Amino acid sequence: MAAGSCLLLLLLPCLATTLHSPPGCKIRITSKGLDLVKQEGLRFVEQELQNITMSDLHGKEGQFHYNISQIKVMDLQMPFSDLHFQPQQQLVFNISNASISLRFRRQLLYWFFYDIGSINASADGVHIHTELQLAKDEAGRLKISNVTCNASIARMRVGFSGTLRKVYEFLSTFIVTGMRFLLSQQICPSLEHASLVLLNSLLDTVPVRNYVDEHIGIDYSLLRDPAISTDTLDMDFKGMFFPRARENLELENYAVEPVIKETERMVYVAFSEYFFDSAMHAYFQEGVLAIELQGEKVPKDLEVLLRATFFGTIFMLSPTVDAPMQLVLQVSAPPRCTIKPSGTSVSVSAFLNISLVLPGRPAVQLSSMAVETKLSAKVFLQGKALRVQLDLRRFRIYSKQSALESLALFSLQAPLKTLLQLTIMPIINERTKKGVQIPLPEGMDFTKEVVTNHAGFLTVGADLHFSKGLREVIEKYHPVPTAPAYPSSQHAEPSMDP
């Protein structure tokens, strides 16, 4: 028994590490960001409440028969609203002291007197308290998993006019009470539909697992439910690239977990070294980290120097040495990214094969040399695309055969470095120009981005901007009626029987 307990204690750290996989990408939404979301969300709520559909109200009091129909929301005033974080996984949306203006059709029968027309009403002191539960769904996407809603109306005012105004005022207690009940019963179902159906369709636009280009894709699935404090909402994403030919390939994450401490900006996005390493590992697995230059693509000055360097070998091959030269630069291992407070760099190991391509004969290799380079990486955000600009910092070549041959290759060091800078680096940067999308919903973009390097990860602090309204995006991806269909009786004329 004691041995089993000791074994369990030894396994606990391993189990904890397994359950808490470090994220490759992390996003923090701060209270400032939530304020912007509140402004756009309030407009959306107003639109939803204006689409409220209520059933008719009809009844009989003595010889009075009444029917209230075609109830329509005309205007909303919501001067006091609040959206805030509530630990552990909730957003709380409060509306206080709001007013809702209504118009409806009236029909009244009293003995042989019949009256018809419209009535204006106002619901004052409207209070709505809504709690949105946020969680990770099975696909790893952030979703609103549950909604708790309470709505109340402090008072209802109805303005009567017409021939039977006194009669309506007599019946106002019944009519106002009924309308107040109907309206309060429709507010929460409307908001629940807006959250669980419409807002979740907006969250469906967040990229979870999609292709970056024809070679690789990225997995942005959430690792766990979001963590919410009083001031922040933190989300841990897998942030792993994968080769499209082997989509189930997993790369173990041994990198430092990003830690976001700042709260001054609306949003912070952090990327660990694992995020960039997995991208280069995926490209390596796809076998695309190779570049071939042949014939006219080889700079003339470099070709002359190469022919002079390998003249003896070329002379022994054939009396004619006009065959075009071929340079093949092939990465030999997945490049590695290093992020330090001083900057970001990428270490690349490769080999360079120099050959002659003789007509009708296999290519003749003149030399195979090892190449070690260090690239500086400038990471920046544009819109929602994370982009990388690479620049060559260090370059070294050496022979894999002997130190003597390495010494002979020393004269090629500067020309080959120039070749990389002028010919190879532009090709690489053109491939990274498109970048990769950050997991934000459609219609939401970053502005005023600032990149900060840390030990093992970097963060991008930014403000948020709505390039499209919530309604516009939702209608694009969820083209169905925006209000739930509630049962409504027919607008029938009241019975003429006493």
Side-chain angles (χ1 to χ4, degrees), residues 314-329:
I314 297 173
F315 183 78
M316 295 297 293
L317 290 173
S318 172
T320 59
V321 290
D322 291 334
M325 300 197 78
Q326 180 189 66
L327 277 67
V328 177
L329 183 63

Side-chain angles (χ1 to χ4, degrees), residues 46-65:
E46 289 177 352
Q47 294 167 347
E48 285 302 300
L49 293 180
Q50 285 178 340
N51 291 325
I52 284 179
T53 303
M54 292 184 289
S55 58
D56 296 349
L57 178 66
H58 53 83
K60 176 182 178 182
E61 296 295 332
Q63 297 302 321
F64 296 99
H65 298 254

Side-chain angles (χ1 to χ4, degrees), residues 99-102 120-124 153 155-159 183:
S99 63
I100 303 176
S101 298
L102 305 168
N120 294 323
S122 176
D124 298 323
I153 299 174
R155 54 195 174 278
M156 195 90 183
R157 294 184 291 107
V158 179
L183 181 59

Side-chain angles (χ1 to χ4, degrees), residues 237-426:
F237 297 91
K238 191 171 186 178
M240 185 199 77
F241 292 83
F242 57 86
R244 291 183 59 168
R246 301 170 62 189
E247 293 195 9
N248 294 324
L249 182 67
E250 292 282 337
L251 180 64
E252 197 71 27
N253 187 353
Y254 297 107
V256 174
E257 178 173 348
V259 177
I260 304 176
K261 298 180 180 180
E262 300 87 352
T263 58
E264 291 78 16
R265 306 297 293 275
M266 292 184 181
V267 63
Y268 291 90
V269 188
F271 304 94
S272 75
E273 293 173 344
Y274 172 81
F275 180 86
F276 301 99
D277 284 347
S278 67
M280 294 180 287
H281 184 269
Y283 277 123
F284 181 80
Q285 291 293 327
E286 283 286 283
V288 297
L289 297 184
I291 295 178
E292 178 181 315
L293 300 177
Q294 182 176 318
E296 295 181 356
K297 292 184 179 180
V298 180
K300 195 64 181 176
D301 293 344
L302 178 63
E303 182 182 358
V304 171
L305 181 61
L306 290 175
R307 288 184 183 276
T309 303
F310 299 105
F311 181 78
T313 306
I314 297 173
F315 183 78
M316 295 297 293
L317 290 173
S318 172
T320 59
V321 290
D322 291 334
M325 300 197 78
Q326 180 189 66
L327 277 67
V328 177
L329 183 63
Q330 174 76 53
V331 174
S332 56
R336 297 298 301 271
C337 173
T338 303
I339 303 176
K340 297 180 180 180
S342 57
T344 302
S345 62
V346 178
S347 299
V348 184
S349 296
F351 57 83
L352 176 64
N353 288 336
I354 302 176
S355 307
L356 276 182
V357 182
L358 303 174
R361 294 175 56 184
V364 178
Q365 182 173 299
L366 301 179
S367 178
S368 179
M369 60 189 76
V371 179
E372 290 184 358
T373 64
K374 180 165 283 190
L375 311 175
S376 62
K378 179 184 177 182
V379 181
F380 59 98
L381 203 59
Q382 190 169 11
K384 273 191 297 192
L386 183 74
R387 299 179 178 179
V388 179
Q389 181 79 21
L390 296 171
D391 188 31
L392 183 62
R393 284 176 53 190
R394 296 179 185 173
F395 176 81
R396 186 173 77 92
I397 57 173
Y398 59 93
S399 172
K400 294 186 291 184
Q401 274 75 34
S402 66
L404 185 62
E405 186 175 356
S406 296
L407 185 62
L409 295 174
F410 184 77
S411 61
L412 295 176
Q413 186 109 348
L416 287 176
K417 183 177 181 180
T418 303
L419 171 70
L420 284 176
Q421 288 175 324
L422 299 180
T423 307
I424 308 299
M425 294 308 300

Side-chain angles (χ1 to χ4, degrees), residues 20-29 135-137 139-143 203 206-209 218-227 233-241 253 256-258 260 267-272 274-275 278 437-441 446:
H20 187 82
S21 302
C25 172
K26 194 167 191 171
I27 292 183
R28 163 171 287 185
I29 306 293
K136 175 181 76 75
D137 69 2
R141 180 178 274 111
L142 179 68
K143 281 298 180 70
L203 293 175
V206 177
V208 172
R209 189 177 176 91
I218 187 167
D219 188 339
Y220 270 132
S221 58
L222 280 171
L223 295 175
R224 54 194 65 88
D225 291 335
L233 182 151
D234 290 339
M235 293 173 286
D236 291 346
F237 297 91
K238 191 171 186 178
M240 185 199 77
F241 292 83
N253 187 353
V256 174
E257 178 173 348
I260 304 176
V267 63
Y268 291 90
V269 188
F271 304 94
S272 75
Y274 172 81
F275 180 86
S278 67
Q437 186 178 355
I438 305 303
L440 279 184
F446 295 106

Side-chain angles (χ1 to χ4, degrees), residues 53-56 70 486-491:
T53 303
M54 292 184 289
S55 58
D56 296 349
Q70 301 177 19
Y486 302 114
S488 176
S489 62
Q490 299 295 322
H491 304 315

